[in-house]
Amino acid sequence: MRYLRTREDFFARQLAAIPSEVPSAPEEPFIEVLYKDGSRVTTTVFALSSFLRLRSWIVDLVALDLHVLTNKGHHKGVTNLLEILFGNEAAYYDPPSEWEDDLLRPFQEVGQSHLRIIELVQSLAFDWSDSLTVTPVELEFLSQLNLHSCIRIDVNGCEIVDRTALLSLLAAANRALHAQGRIVTPAHAEQLGAETAYILESCAVENHRREVVYSVATGYESWRRLLDTTLMKCFGRLPMIVGKICFSTSCTFCLS
């Protein structure tokens, strides 16, 4: 941590550069994310969940850095981070390099007055729609499947319907139905195929929902930890930071 802070000023630079909106990823199957300011982004569940996890890691690292800096009495570093979190300016100390231009642009719009700490939590309050749709099918053969037995925790800690377990469950059910003599006509086989496809598609949609909800919840938890650290460890320095902002520019607190 000390190397990243002293050599690259990593935590402050990342905090200043993280965008509020998920990057666009127009791939199939896509989702559309609608933010509260009316902006829409076409992306994928994988891109959205990865972006939110990455941002939550950065927020957690900033909270940890604030904790370390306050314990060691490094007031300048604490002040730098607090000014980014509670300031109205998005740009960091040095003029942004070419690769930073696109990252910083969302925070440099004319009239932008939200504090970064507010932007971080507001950007988690979005609506989204999935391009995957499922046509309901009445289950005649597979209504007794125990889909809860297919729930697994993925590498990110999210509970999802495991595809391998689901395929194994469906294959076992298919064999049992044939062994019982319940699939005897082409109509039966067609119905079984439709039910199988419906269950697979429904589980894919459910996994999308679970991944997005889990990623958003992770973002809220990271933001809460950052806010807790700020209030518990740096509360005494906030009046100075806010006062500095008020004298230098129009402050959100003053405008409210």
Side-chain angles (χ1 to χ4, degrees), residues 38-68:
S39 59
R40 297 175 181 268
V41 179
T42 300
T43 186
T44 63
V45 169
F46 176 78
L48 177 62
S49 57
S50 298
F51 167 75
L52 292 178
R53 286 197 306 272
L54 174 61
R55 200 172 68 172
S56 69
W57 294 339
I58 294 174
V59 171
D60 275 333
L61 285 172
V62 171
L64 180 59
D65 196 39
L66 278 173
H67 175 80
V68 172

Side-chain angles (χ1 to χ4, degrees), residues 124-140:
L124 294 171
F126 56 80
D127 296 320
W128 68 284
S129 58
D130 199 335
S131 64
L132 286 182
T133 58
V134 181
T135 302
V137 173
E138 184 176 354
L139 298 181
E140 178 181 346

Side-chain angles (χ1 to χ4, degrees), residues 25-42:
E27 302 173 7
E28 295 286 349
F30 65 88
I31 63 172
E32 187 176 67
V33 179
L34 174 61
Y35 289 96
K36 297 303 180 182
D37 63 358
S39 59
R40 297 175 181 268
V41 179
T42 300

Side-chain angles (χ1 to χ4, degrees), residues 44-114:
T44 63
V45 169
F46 176 78
L48 177 62
S49 57
S50 298
F51 167 75
L52 292 178
R53 286 197 306 272
L54 174 61
R55 200 172 68 172
S56 69
W57 294 339
I58 294 174
V59 171
D60 275 333
L61 285 172
V62 171
L64 180 59
D65 196 39
L66 278 173
H67 175 80
V68 172
L69 290 172
T70 52
N71 283 349
K72 293 185 175 181
H74 293 174
H75 302 306
K76 184 178 184 299
V78 172
T79 299
N80 288 343
L81 291 174
L82 292 180
E83 285 181 344
I84 297 173
L85 284 170
F86 293 90
N88 290 322
E89 296 294 330
Y92 187 52
Y93 311 106
D94 301 324
S97 60
E98 182 177 348
W99 69 269
E100 291 175 305
D101 286 343
D102 290 337
L103 290 176
L104 293 176
R105 188 171 295 117
F107 300 110
Q108 294 175 333
E109 300 295 334
V110 176
Q112 180 73 289
S113 61
H114 287 163

